[in-house]
Structure formats: structure tokens, C-alpha cells
Amino acid sequence: MTAITRFAPSPTGYLHLGHAASALFSFKQSGPHGRFLLRIEDIDQTRCRPEYLGAIYQDLAWLGFEWEEPVRVQSEHFTDFQNVLDRLTDMELLYPCFCTRKDIQAEVARIGNAPHGPDGALYPGTCRHICTQERAQRIDAGQNYALRLDMAAAIARVDRELVWFDRAAGRQIATPEIFGDVVLARKDTPTSYHLSVTHDDHLQGVTLVTRGEDLFFASHLHRLLQEVLGYDVPEYHHHGLLTGPDGKRFAKRDKSRTIRSMREDGIPPEKVRKLAQLG
Ligand code: GLU
């Protein structure tokens, strides 16, 4: 089978064995005549560092990967994401939310038994009904705000059952409502993972999205965004996560298992690739 796949790391730390597993998986799924893309997901400029970006290229090259140039580096495309936000605003699917994290926690506690989604308690909707005039006043007054998706309004635009296909888990009926009114942009990060990943997978013509099963539920939301924005719908393959001898998945904080440290310890790349086999 032939596919256009991508590996999309964030330069917030050194790559570890779990990343190598994900990259290998993506590469294999592209097949001998497919295309394997590398994309740098560095929208969170407070957490990303240039030395980690350089290390991604070095580590992947050392592991034997080749990828197409130019690499799409998301931080170079904030205007693209702004254009997508503008489209959603024109459709009246976004609203500014002035709540701080504390405000939300307090409101969630007040409601008691608030519904929870994959990322925790759902936004209780405090700012959804603020009138246009007050919104404008608060923005003009310099209040900080995020842009949230009006989930009910977005779902109401869709007039058919939304489905997506995962090569491991099969046909899925999308249930984006599990995310509630999710944040799609912030002042300091004028986009979000969900917005930029959905946009870029479409823009780059990715036909098979491969990623860890920890992001399985995100695809329900991405499917809705694709529908609303008129984007192509890729297939998905959420893979199991590589775990260490202690049964725990690798994390950026496990410094000892970075690709870099394995290289420095003299472990050859083919051995690292073997260790990074999934399942
Ligand atoms: N940048 C994301 C990560 O490092 C990748 C998510 C995806 O592949 O959709 O977890």
C-alpha cells in the first residue's frame, strides 16, 4: 500500500526511543512508492528551542531517515493559521474566552460533576453568551483572551454522520462533542495543536495520519474541523506506544533514553532501530 505519511515532532526536548518508533512506523506505512514527510510542530514558542530542532534533524539523519525538503516548520506559517481562524470566525464558529485557568476551575467546581473529555473538564461555557458589544469592549481594553470553538454551532453545520477510519481500530463515528468548546488559539500562541495539525495534514496532502494511540480521541475533533473547513479526510493509524522495561512509556524527561544519549553511548543506529520496533 502506498500513502503520504508524516512524522511531526515538537522540538521541546530531545527525541527518545518512542519518537524513533513513531517515525519508523510512519516511514514504513508510506510504503516503497509513497512519501514520508517530516513536519516540525513548534507553535508553542515558549517550550520549543532551536537546539532541539537541530537535534531532531541530526538524530533522524543518524537513524537513517530521509525526508523531503523543504520541511514544513509550523512557526513559519502563523499567517496560514490566522487565515483558518478568520474563516471559522466568518462562519461564527469561534468566540473569545476571557476566563483564566482559575476562573474555569472555580466554575467547574461550582457546577460539581462537570462533564469531562479527553483533556479534562469541559469548558463550562461562561464566555459563550457574552454579547458582541461587550466582547469588543473587553478586547479593546486589552483583556487577554483565547478563541474557543463553539462546538454545538460547529456540529450544527454538519448535516451527515461524520466517520473516520483507523487502520487498527476500524471505522469510527466521530464524537467531537467530547471536547466541548475547545481552545483553537491563544494570544501567545495564535493557533493550537488541533487547528495546525488538521490544516497542515490537508495542505501537505497527507493520506495516512500515523501517530500514537494517546492522540486517538483528537481525531474525533480533527474530523469535525475537516468537515467544516472542507478539507480532505485522511485515513488514520494510531499505533501502540513503546514502553520501557518498567512498562512505562518513554517521555522527554527520560534523559537516558534519548536517541542522542544512545548514540553517545556507542549504540549503533541499526540497534536503536531494532529497539524502536513496535509490537
Ligand atoms: N507534534 C505532536 C507530538 O509531538 C504530533 C502529533 C501528531 O502526529 O498529530 O506529539
Side-chain angles (χ1 to χ4, degrees):
M1 279 212 260
T2 291
I4 302 175
T5 64
R6 63 10 174 226
F7 174 56
S10 298
T12 54
Y14 291 119
L15 296 185
H16 53 65
L17 214 45
H19 290 111
S22 230
L24 270 177
F25 187 83
S26 175
F27 174 73
K28 276 195 197 140
Q29 295 296 321
S30 67
H33 306 294
R35 290 169 61 202
F36 169 73
L37 309 178
L38 175 63
R39 182 169 71 227
I40 302 297
E41 300 207 326
D42 60 345
I43 56 169
D44 185 347
Q45 295 280 288
T46 58
R47 291 176 59 227
C48 295
R49 302 242 195 91
E51 65 264 35
Y52 295 139
L53 176 58
I56 287 176
Y57 296 133
Q58 279 173 8
D59 292 348
L60 289 177
W62 178 75
L63 281 168
F65 285 100
E66 286 175 19
W67 55 85
E68 293 182 19
E69 299 280 355
V71 169
R72 185 160 171 95
V73 178
Q74 287 188 325
S75 62
E76 293 168 4
H77 300 282
F78 281 120
T79 47
D80 283 24
F81 306 131
Q82 186 57 53
N83 290 339
V84 183
L85 290 169
D86 291 346
R87 285 188 61 202
L88 293 171
T89 300
D90 289 347
M91 290 183 236
E92 299 185 359
L93 296 184
L94 296 184
Y95 64 88
C97 169
F98 304 94
C99 295
T100 61
R101 221 176 274 262
K102 261 198 178 153
D103 294 334
I104 298 173
Q105 276 166 3
E107 183 59 10
V108 164
R110 196 188 64 78
I111 299 171
N113 246 335
H116 279 60
D119 298 334
L122 300 194
Y123 178 62
T126 322
C127 291
R128 192 186 305 126
H129 302 295
I130 296 178
C131 69
T132 320
Q133 201 189 356
E134 187 185 333
R135 279 178 185 164
Q137 272 168 3
R138 291 172 76 164
I139 292 171
D140 286 348
Q143 270 196 36
N144 198 0
Y145 66 94
L147 288 174
R148 288 186 180 273
L149 179 70
D150 185 332
M151 181 58 76
I155 290 175
R157 281 186 76 96
V158 177
D159 52 10
R160 57 181 175 142
E161 188 171 59
L162 286 188
V163 293
W164 54 280
F165 187 78
D166 183 274
R167 288 194 178 175
R171 182 178 183 268
Q172 306 292 316
I173 294 172
T175 56
E177 62 276 10
I178 57 174
F179 283 90
D181 289 359
V182 69
V183 168
L184 289 190
R186 291 181 197 280
K187 197 173 170 201
D188 51 356
T189 306
T191 180
S192 56
Y193 161 65
H194 297 303
L195 187 90
S196 42
V197 80
T198 305
H199 177 264
D200 281 359
D201 283 337
H202 165 74
L203 182 87
Q204 296 189 283
V206 172
T207 59
L208 176 65
V209 171
T210 65
R211 59 184 166 213
E213 62 192 9
D214 52 333
L215 284 166
F216 184 87
F217 290 106
S219 302
H220 286 298
L221 172 60
H222 300 174
R223 182 66 191 85
L224 174 65
L225 293 175
Q226 287 153 3
E227 190 71 8
V228 164
L229 292 164
Y231 287 174
D232 296 328
V233 184
E235 270 191 30
Y236 290 84
H237 196 152
H238 294 89
H239 58 74
L241 300 172
L242 201 70
T243 49
D246 56 359
K248 286 198 191 132
R249 50 185 278 215
F250 292 100
K252 284 188 175 146
R253 57 182 176 276
D254 300 333
K255 305 257 182 310
S256 59
R257 303 305 275 177
T258 62
I259 303 304
R260 185 145 287 245
S261 67
M262 295 171 96
R263 177 167 83 220
E264 281 159 12
D265 288 348
I267 305 177
E270 43 297 353
K271 173 90 190 288
V272 178
R273 283 203 302 271
K274 259 209 186 109
L275 290 169
Q277 298 292 335
L278 284 167

